[in-house]
Amino acid sequence: MAANGNGEVAMNGNGAAPARKPKGLLPSITTSDKHHGVCHDMSAPTVKAQTIDELHSLQKKKSAPTTPIKGFQGTFAALSEEERQKQQLQSISASLASLTRETGPKVVRGDPASKNQTSPRVHQQHVAEPTISASDSSLKFTHVLYNLSPAELYEQAIHYEKGSFITSTGALATLSGAKTGRAPRDKRVVKDDVTGEELWWGKGSPNIEMDEHTFLVNRERAVDYLNSLDKVFVNDQFLNWDPENRIKVRIVSARAYHSLFMHNMCIRPTPEELEDFGTPDFTIYNAGQFPCNRYTHYMTSSTSIDLNLARREMVILGTQYAGEMKKGLFSVMHYLMPKRQILSLHSGCNMGKDGDVALFFGLSGTGKTTLSTDPNRYLIGDDEHCWTETGVSNIEGGCYAKCIDLSREKEPDIWNAIKFGTVLENVVFEEHTREVDYADKSVTENTRASYPIEYIPNAKIPCVGPHPKNVILLACDAFGVLPPVSKLNLAQTMYHFISGYTALVAGTEEGVKEPRATFSACFGAAFIMMHPTKYAAMLAEKMQKHGATGWLVNTGWSGGSYGSGNRIKLAYTRKIIDAIHSGNLLKAEYKKTEVFGLEIPTAVEGVPSEILDPVNTWSNKLGYKDTLMKLAGLFKNNFEIFTDHKIGKGSELTGEILAAGPNF
């Protein structure tokens, strides 16, 4: 039995009804709905399959993205499916081309473990036939698993990748290997004549330089590894929901887990968009299972994450942590977007029902995810955004949430998003029930969940919005001297944006009793490419042009530092954020604090007035003054690395930013 083009069932080989049974055999049971209204006919024509593999093949309906683009004849629109696949494979072959040899493996579509292989007519070599130096690699096929669905990637991961399991809620639990977090000291950027002038280098910069030759050596090593495999996974996807400024990315990886992760994190193309995808704007070669050569110039370990902005390529060796791909692409956007006069931001973003948009900046532990994921507002995105001439847009197509101590009560949206299609990294689960223990740190404290943004019920699709009205900078001040909320002028917004302050509470080490200040420029220093003042100036310009207000919100301690005071109640912080969204806080009366010169409201509905000025909550006034001066000194020391950079032709703006810092 087989399905025809109309979905009807052909009863035998020539499409006729089954032949009448010979005499002597039991007749088939007939329908007797005249008397009972129930069909008792359990007989059926024999399935047209001779083997179990043929039977399984009938489960799968052939499909391919061949729908023409409406109103436009794209690159593949006039081609047959075979020709379209040929061009697609040629493009992938070019991506996997070796730089030093004339030949490489042939690239073919499909899984080598499948019984039904793609026709050899689709096989394409990425270069002409060699005349000399033929290698064994030219004799083999590298099978391309192209833009597989989550279900297909589940099958690949569970079948071939040790440590991959389906949890009780349907998520794919997997392991990232020895590295369970990013390796910023092993991330390098090619320094050439262009990037040498454009990027931020030196003290405080996250950009560690390498030369073009070393990059090509690592690229060759990664491509060689990928080409040696029987199959590779290829994702063609987009970054940026703004259609005028989206970037086409191609991710070539060796693991189904990585392919599913990027399927979730990037914007997923429609079948029509895939047909006209063409050449990507940026390519990642993820050979993370294979180490770099430690004796190569610039290498300091067996891990290397390398960016070449001129070639628009990224190479990953020696780490399988999927977050390197996500943040690597974010770094690329931090370079490409400002060159288009578009501000790239490491922030959360949501929108009210009246169209008022708010940006949330904050380092780990400040409550950025909790406060930006508001059930009463639409979520535009949780981590990466662009501010263009038309408004704000999410860079990504998914969310990457921390899972440690996750609970249904505290984070219901994230909890409910962990279902089929979600990737769970490095979590611990019960062996029999597959129920995840989110409190277990046996593998790492940095457990993560990656899921499509549409898994959040109030996500705004497409993930775009109008110009922001409020820019909220979050700080968890464990010193307990910053006010719960302050209204900032433009210079103060730039100063605190460049500073990117929060404080870490005392850890598990003996003798550590005091908070530790942490500063991360633009609230994402590890990912910015240009000098922080470049992004700050763009932020101030857009805020001024579109009438946005800056706010500094302390989600940390009050009435004393960590250990003596108390953390500000989340309910109070939510009331403050609600007052910002509604516009009521703009109408409040304000007074100025000493040292930091912050404008603080005298009253906020639902918040005790006495906690709005931190000096009121300290019983030890001298201790408050000493701690305030200590924090101010830490701010000043941190900002020294930015003082030698001028914005534009003069230094007036730099001076204005410096004056907006603490004065004592």
Side-chain angles (χ1 to χ4, degrees):
M1 179 174 65
N4 61 24
N6 298 320
E8 298 168 345
V9 176
M11 307 300 279
N12 59 25
N14 56 18
R20 184 173 298 176
K21 290 183 180 291
K23 291 182 180 180
L25 296 180
L26 291 174
S28 61
I29 301 171
T30 58
T31 304
S32 181
D33 53 359
K34 285 184 179 180
H35 305 288
H36 306 287
V38 179
C39 178
H40 298 284
D41 188 2
M42 301 300 291
S43 64
T46 305
V47 173
K48 191 180 178 182
Q50 300 299 317
T51 66
I52 195 69
D53 288 331
E54 288 181 21
L55 181 61
H56 287 170
S57 72
L58 297 178
Q59 291 179 302
K60 304 165 189 172
K61 181 180 177 182
K62 298 292 183 182
S63 63
T66 56
T67 309
I69 300 171
K70 295 179 181 178
F72 178 74
Q73 293 298 312
T75 305
F76 304 119
L79 300 178
S80 67
E81 172 63 12
E82 184 175 293
E83 287 297 319
R84 190 189 70 78
Q85 287 190 16
K86 281 185 179 181
Q87 291 199 12
Q88 183 188 82
L89 290 174
Q90 285 174 333
S91 173
I92 295 169
S93 295
S95 295
L96 282 167
S98 168
L99 294 172
T100 60
R101 286 175 296 282
E102 294 189 41
T103 65
K106 300 177 178 70
V107 178
V108 62
R109 190 184 179 103
D111 188 345
S114 173
K115 298 292 183 181
N116 300 315
Q117 292 294 348
T118 307
S119 169
R121 291 177 296 173
V122 185
H123 298 170
Q124 292 290 320
Q125 285 184 251
H126 52 68
V127 293
E129 289 293 333
T131 55
I132 56 172
S133 304
S135 65
D136 284 350
S137 64
S138 65
L139 304 179
K140 71 179 287 290
F141 287 110
T142 294
H143 296 254
V144 172
L145 305 187
Y146 183 74
N147 273 44
L148 296 190
S149 67
E152 292 171 306
L153 291 168
Y154 265 58
E155 292 165 3
Q156 290 287 325
I158 292 168
H159 191 65
Y160 298 108
E161 296 179 8
K162 191 173 182 179
S164 295
F165 300 91
I166 300 177
T167 69
S168 60
T169 63
L172 179 69
T174 187
L175 297 172
S176 66
K179 298 290 176 70
T180 58
R182 290 183 301 103
R185 294 181 181 179
D186 295 311
K187 181 182 174 184
R188 291 168 177 79
V189 183
V190 173
K191 188 175 184 179
D192 53 30
D193 293 341
V194 176
T195 57
E197 294 294 326
E198 292 180 334
L199 301 192
W200 179 29
W201 305 98
K203 185 178 179 181
S205 167
N207 301 316
I208 305 172
E209 70 175 89
M210 70 186 308
D211 59 32
E212 172 86 3
H213 175 75
T214 304
F215 174 85
L216 294 179
V217 169
N218 282 355
R219 182 193 187 278
E220 191 77 352
R221 190 172 176 94
V223 169
D224 281 348
Y225 171 74
L226 292 167
N227 285 341
S228 72
L229 302 175
D230 287 335
K231 61 187 175 186
V232 296
F233 298 89
V234 175
N235 292 47
D236 280 348
Q237 295 181 264
F238 297 118
L239 297 177
N240 198 352
W241 283 83
D242 175 14
E244 297 296 320
N245 294 288
R246 73 182 183 185
I247 301 298
K248 298 185 293 184
V249 294
R250 171 169 293 163
I251 303 100
V252 185
S253 55
R255 291 194 63 180
Y257 140 55
H258 289 154
S259 186
L260 181 57
F261 177 90
M262 295 309 284
H263 169 88
N264 290 345
M265 297 312 303
C266 294
I267 299 167
R268 293 158 287 284
T270 64
E272 293 90 343
E273 289 170 332
L274 268 185
E275 288 188 356
D276 194 41
F277 193 85
T279 304
D281 299 311
F282 197 87
T283 303
I284 293 179
Y285 301 98
N286 189 343
Q289 291 163 293
F290 200 68
C292 69
N293 186 334
R294 291 174 297 151
Y295 296 100
T296 306
H297 192 37
Y298 292 101
M299 299 301 104
T300 55
S301 74
S302 60
T303 298
S304 190
I305 304 101
D306 307 328
L307 274 175
N308 189 325
L309 295 170
R311 290 183 60 91
R312 306 288 178 94
E313 291 181 334
M314 178 180 178
V315 169
I316 299 175
L317 290 163
T319 173
Q320 296 178 65
Y321 181 65
E324 296 289 7
M325 295 182 286
K326 165 189 160 65
K327 292 303 186 184
L329 288 176
F330 189 32
S331 295
V332 171
M333 295 296 280
H334 266 313
Y335 174 74
L336 295 178
M337 292 297 102
K339 291 171 73 69
R340 301 185 185 186
Q341 301 307 308
I342 295 170
L343 177 59
S344 49
L345 299 165
H346 187 210
S347 70
C349 182
N350 65 23
M351 185 180 80
K353 293 178 173 59
D354 295 328
D356 59 296
V357 169
L359 294 172
F360 292 82
F361 296 88
L363 303 179
S364 179
T366 59
K368 182 182 73 170
T369 301
T370 300
L371 295 172
S372 61
T373 306
D374 188 329
N376 298 314
R377 294 172 65 83
Y378 300 111
L379 179 68
I380 293 177
D382 75 328
D383 197 45
E384 303 175 8
H385 293 88
C386 285
W387 193 344
T388 71
E389 286 301 310
T390 57
V392 68
S393 59
N394 191 351
I395 289 175
E396 301 181 297
C399 301
Y400 194 33
K402 288 185 177 180
C403 291
I404 196 67
D405 295 325
L406 180 69
S407 69
R408 188 195 300 269
E409 295 72 30
K410 292 181 180 179
E411 300 285 358
D413 285 341
I414 296 174
W415 179 276
N416 293 328
I418 298 176
K419 55 187 179 181
F420 179 82
T422 297
V423 175
L424 281 175
E425 284 182 318
N426 301 315
V427 298
V428 177
F429 50 83
E430 204 281 324
E431 184 177 13
H432 176 60
T433 65
R434 297 290 197 266
E435 291 182 359
V436 178
D437 182 357
Y438 291 108
D440 197 316
K441 307 173 185 176
S442 299
V443 180
T444 177
E445 189 170 332
N446 187 36
T447 53
R448 295 274 186 163
S450 162
Y451 49 86
I453 193 167
E454 52 265 35
Y455 282 17
I456 299 296
N458 60 330
K460 184 183 181 299
I461 307 295
C463 302
V464 296
H467 295 289
K469 292 296 183 186
N470 293 292
V471 174
I472 301 170
L473 311 182
L474 301 170
C476 177
D477 177 30
F479 292 93
V481 294
L482 289 184
V485 60
S486 312
K487 184 175 68 174
L488 306 175
N489 60 36
L490 277 178
Q492 288 175 321
T493 303
M494 295 172 75
Y495 182 88
H496 287 278
F497 178 70
I498 292 172
S499 297
Y501 163 73
T502 195
L504 303 178
V505 297
T508 56
E509 298 177 31
E510 283 191 41
V512 179
K513 298 179 180 179
E514 293 186 349
R516 180 164 59 88
T518 299
F519 298 92
S520 182
C522 306
F523 292 94
F527 322 119
I528 61 176
M529 304 294 283
M530 302 174 186
H531 197 277
T533 53
K534 167 74 173 177
Y535 304 99
M538 291 182 71
L539 177 63
E541 180 184 1
K542 288 186 177 296
M543 288 178 65
Q544 189 171 36
K545 183 176 180 179
H546 302 290
T549 305
W551 306 89
L552 179 64
V553 174
N554 174 23
T555 62
W557 270 254
S558 177
S561 299
Y562 172 80
S564 60
N566 297 298
R567 187 155 191 185
I568 299 170
K569 292 181 179 179
L570 178 60
Y572 295 159
T573 303
R574 288 194 185 279
K575 289 290 185 182
I576 289 169
I577 298 297
D578 288 343
I580 291 173
H581 290 324
S582 68
N584 290 336
L585 206 52
L586 279 175
K587 305 170 187 175
E589 292 184 8
Y590 286 85
K591 65 178 184 179
K592 184 173 287 190
T593 67
E594 57 181 343
V595 182
F596 278 88
L598 298 170
E599 296 280 345
I600 60 173
T602 57
V604 178
E605 185 179 352
V607 180
S609 297
E610 61 270 17
I611 75 168
L612 295 175
D613 189 344
V615 68
N616 296 334
T617 62
W618 281 64
S619 57
N620 182 354
K621 305 301 181 185
L622 183 60
Y624 166 79
K625 183 73 172 181
D626 290 343
T627 307
L628 179 65
M629 296 300 290
K630 178 181 179 180
L631 182 60
L634 294 172
F635 265 84
K636 276 194 172 291
N637 291 339
N638 171 73
F639 216 84
E640 285 179 359
I641 61 175
F642 309 121
T643 57
D644 60 348
H645 190 85
K646 295 181 179 180
I647 301 175
K649 295 180 180 179
S651 59
E652 294 83 5
L653 193 53
T654 307
E656 191 178 349
I657 297 172
L658 286 171
N663 292 298
F664 56 96

